[in-house]
Amino acid sequence: MGGRPGYLTLPIFSVVAAIGYVYYTTVFVAVPRWLGLSTAAGVANAAAFTALAAACLATYAVAVRRDPGRVPPGFVPDVEDAESTVHEIKRKGGDSRYCQKCCQYKPPRAHHCHVCKRCVLKMTWELQDFLGLCIVCCGCKLLCIGSVLHSVPKDEQPGSDSSRTSIIICGVILSPLALALAVLLGWHIYLILQNKTTIEYHEGVQAMWLAEKGGDIYHHPYDLGVYENLISVLGPNIFCWLCPVLNTVGNGLRYRTSYDIPISTPM
């Protein structure tokens, strides 16, 4: 898997700048104002928040920089493969899915995003990033609230107004950000528990409607049950689920489905 070209876009710069401002305000303004960096509680909170911010930046860097993989050159779906119980085809014509931009066939569950990519692997890194950002936002809000409610001694009054203003600005930034991240985190958890990509969810809504209209019941073919879905998306090593490391199995060209029947080997 190759890396992405080295560039810094405005959205990436905005996210890094926001994390930097939140980190500075929390560690160098809110914590000293409330607990003090010379106390054990202040040092512990500053160290914990620094570790969270570093982990958050690491997961964000992985989500932005690491390529989830490209379709191998010359890939052609084998519609006669007996081991593959699900074949994704075009809605019109019934032909194998073909990307006109990449000029190649699409593997199962792949969609075009600059190039056809493994969307399931990308969803794993996004989940880790959203979870880290949510934890950082919650920790920052708690420290900021405690700092604002804390009464500053009179001998420290001259600089208290500017620090209080910085904390309030940080809180204003965090409120909509935390709400948006919580929604995205919940959405990704739902998709992973159902073993769906975003496009598969929207396609499933339409498929469910058509099935009900015809008196049938639609079942998502990649839904293996909650635990197996977690394993399929996040990998078999539970201790790596929240770490920005490659933990998934398979090559992205074939996925287990609910129609697969385990073959028992004779004893």
Side-chain angles (χ1 to χ4, degrees):
M1 295 189 298
R4 296 186 178 183
Y7 60 88
L8 183 64
T9 62
L10 181 59
I12 295 176
F13 176 79
S14 300
V15 170
V16 174
I19 294 176
Y21 179 79
V22 168
Y23 174 78
Y24 174 82
T25 304
T26 303
V27 175
F28 297 103
V29 179
V31 172
R33 175 188 171 94
W34 182 21
L35 303 171
L37 287 177
S38 59
T39 64
V43 172
N45 278 272
F49 193 82
T50 299
L52 285 173
C56 183
L57 282 174
T59 55
Y60 182 69
V62 169
V64 170
R65 292 286 303 168
R66 182 174 291 179
D67 194 330
R70 301 168 185 251
V71 181
F75 169 77
V76 178
D78 186 3
V79 296
E80 298 181 356
D81 185 4
E83 296 183 1
S84 181
T85 54
V86 174
H87 297 284
E88 297 184 3
I89 58 177
K90 292 182 179 179
R91 297 177 183 175
K92 297 181 180 179
D95 297 328
S96 297
R97 300 187 310 143
Y98 188 83
C99 181
Q100 299 295 336
K101 295 183 179 180
C102 295
C103 297
Q104 60 186 25
Y105 287 99
K106 297 180 181 180
R109 317 187 75 181
H111 303 284
H112 184 86
C113 179
H114 301 296
V115 292
C116 289
K117 294 183 178 295
R118 295 165 58 185
C119 301
V120 177
L121 182 57
K122 190 68 175 175
M123 187 166 57
T124 303
W125 297 331
E126 290 174 349
L127 171 72
Q128 296 168 350
D129 190 31
F130 291 143
L131 179 61
L133 287 170
C134 282
I135 295 175
V136 167
C137 286
C138 292
C140 180
K141 289 196 74 171
L142 290 175
L143 289 172
C144 286
I145 291 173
S147 178
V148 170
L149 297 178
H150 174 67
S151 57
V152 181
K154 293 184 178 180
D155 56 346
E156 299 180 12
Q157 286 290 337
S160 62
D161 291 338
S162 60
S163 63
R164 187 184 182 92
T165 302
S166 299
I167 294 171
I168 292 175
I169 293 175
C170 183
V172 171
I173 294 175
L174 283 175
S175 296
L177 182 61
L179 178 60
L181 289 171
V183 172
L184 288 171
L185 176 62
W187 173 243
H188 275 68
I189 291 176
Y190 168 79
L191 290 177
I192 289 177
L193 293 178
Q194 298 291 321
N195 202 353
K196 296 179 180 179
T197 64
T198 305
I199 294 179
E200 287 173 351
Y201 167 80
H202 292 291
E203 291 177 343
V205 171
Q206 183 178 6
M208 187 180 299
W209 179 78
L210 292 174
E212 291 178 354
K213 188 177 180 180
D216 297 325
I217 299 176
Y218 171 77
H219 178 74
H220 181 55
Y222 299 106
D223 187 0
L224 308 174
V226 173
Y227 179 73
E228 290 297 331
N229 289 343
L230 290 170
I231 295 295
S232 177
V233 178
L234 300 178
N237 191 339
I238 299 178
F239 299 102
C240 293
W241 282 3
L242 300 181
C243 301
V245 296
L246 187 61
N247 186 40
T248 55
V249 295
N251 56 8
L253 301 179
R254 178 180 295 176
Y255 293 89
R256 287 181 55 198
T257 70
S258 56
Y259 305 111
D260 294 335
I261 301 176
I263 301 176
S264 57
T265 56
M267 298 297 291

